[in-house]
Amino acid sequence: MRPGLAAAYEAHGLDMNRASVARMYDYMLGGKDNYAVDREAVAQVMVADPDVLSLVRENRAFVVRATRLMAEAGIDQFLDVGSGMPTAENVHQVAQGVNPDARTVYIDNDPIVLVHGQAILADNPLTTVVTADLRDPAAIIDNPHVGSFIDWSRPVGILSVATLHFVPDEDDPWATMAALREVSVPGSYLAISHATSDTVGETVGKVAEAYQRTAGKGTPRTREQVLRFFEGYELLDPGLTLVSQWRPPLPIPQPERYWFYAGVGRR
Ligand SMILES: C[S@@+](CC[C@H](N)C(=O)[O-])C[C@H]1O[C@@H](n2cnc3c(N)ncnc32)[C@H](O)[C@@H]1O
């Protein structure tokens, strides 16, 4: 375990002995920053959906395509809310591949992301990690460290990918996205992917049960509910689609097996 991690978990009221969404996702992507409790939880998710590892790869490919689109459109500052652990082809790497001066702020409520991110990003002065909860948008928008990286008077690229379904309706994730929209100037972008039960609902129900038993509640949402996150943005082609159908390099058979919606909007 990394030094200081147990104290960071305690400070954020999190239980180190329970599986974590961030560490499970790291394991599903082939990373090493996870524990036995996370791997056991992923095993339960894989029983519920044997295709889930392909889903997370499709989702990650969406992160790359969406970031590249924004960077190529001229966006040079990115806010990745619910970023997860640093992995291959992170937002800052994709963005800096287009514009070496692009800045990225990673936000996650799991302190392990900060601990690993600090180590990995130490030599990249244009990139930083902040521990904050998206249920408290002011903690992001008014955070002085975020403010030293993001100039809110200029367009920003916001990503909240495979994250909003971990915020239940009662915590109003739409209010958070509305607050981030209000602080973003015209020309800003928003990329979202989000779990849905609209296609293979029975499978998704079993996955949700596996998460509930292990890491915590997940809330798949309907197309209409996901579209509401894009209020105030104009969706770019091809609109809100299943994740493997969003500008794929090659057509993927049976796209309904990858049960995330994905889209990119422009303010
Ligand atoms: C499945 S991972 C997605 C990582 C990355 N965005 C991607 O799609 O490749 C979801 C991340 O959201 C984070 N998360 C969940 N609830 C959150 C919240 N309320 N505030 C901030 N981050 C949150 C988790 O800790 C986890 O790292």
Side-chain angles (χ1 to χ4, degrees):
M1 190 194 306
R2 300 255 179 172
L5 192 53
Y9 267 82
E10 205 181 323
H12 288 87
L14 297 168
D15 180 358
M16 278 224 64
N17 300 309
R18 192 168 163 78
S20 120
V21 166
R23 299 189 316 249
M24 287 170 68
Y25 189 70
D26 172 72
Y27 179 55
M28 288 192 271
L29 283 171
K32 294 192 168 38
D33 300 320
N34 49 75
Y35 305 128
V37 68
D38 308 306
R39 298 189 282 273
E40 166 54 26
V42 169
Q44 294 191 39
V45 173
M46 288 177 69
V47 169
D49 181 1
D51 282 337
V52 74
L53 299 188
S54 302
L55 167 63
V56 299
R57 280 196 296 272
E58 285 299 314
N59 181 66
R60 204 61 214 169
F62 168 70
V63 173
V64 172
R65 295 198 293 271
T67 304
R68 191 169 292 133
L69 175 147
M70 296 188 216
E72 286 175 352
I75 295 294
D76 62 0
Q77 44 178 6
F78 292 82
L79 188 69
D80 185 357
V81 186
S83 61
M85 218 82 80
T87 177
E89 291 199 283
N90 297 293
V91 167
H92 75 283
Q93 290 160 320
V94 177
Q96 289 179 355
V98 177
N99 176 355
D101 295 328
R103 296 169 171 267
T104 302
V105 177
Y106 292 113
I107 306 269
D108 205 286
N109 67 342
D110 190 328
I112 199 170
V113 173
L114 175 69
V115 172
H116 287 267
Q118 275 173 337
I120 288 167
L121 304 173
D123 59 352
N124 195 319
L126 300 179
T127 305
T128 194
V129 187
V130 171
T131 303
D133 196 306
L134 73 84
R135 289 171 291 187
D136 180 8
I140 300 173
I141 295 164
D142 300 335
N143 184 305
H145 190 56
V146 173
S148 68
F149 274 77
I150 302 287
D151 174 357
W152 293 107
S153 72
R154 297 176 52 245
V156 61
I158 297 177
L159 301 101
S160 194
V161 182
T163 296
L164 290 163
H165 45 236
F166 293 113
V167 182
D169 288 0
E170 55 269 29
D171 288 335
D172 201 350
W174 295 279
T176 290
M177 298 319 285
L180 288 171
R181 178 191 66 225
E182 287 314 306
V183 80
S184 304
V185 297
S188 296
Y189 285 76
L190 172 68
I192 286 176
S193 78
H194 196 296
T196 184
S197 301
D198 285 356
T199 54
V200 287
E202 199 180 323
T203 300
V204 177
K206 288 182 191 160
V207 171
E209 280 170 24
Y211 267 92
Q212 179 90 50
R213 279 195 303 274
T214 56
K217 187 176 174 186
T219 306
R221 294 195 167 94
T222 64
R223 183 180 168 77
E224 288 311 310
Q225 289 173 315
V226 178
L227 277 172
R228 276 180 54 208
F229 289 120
F230 287 100
E231 263 171 30
Y233 293 84
E234 187 185 332
L235 272 170
L236 305 186
D237 282 345
L240 187 69
T241 66
L242 290 170
V243 65
S244 67
Q245 293 176 314
W246 197 88
R247 303 194 182 193
L250 290 171
I252 303 281
Q254 297 180 288
E256 68 283 356
R257 288 188 306 156
Y258 308 123
W259 37 268
F260 281 3
Y261 282 125
V264 177
R266 185 172 187 277
R267 179 131 164 71

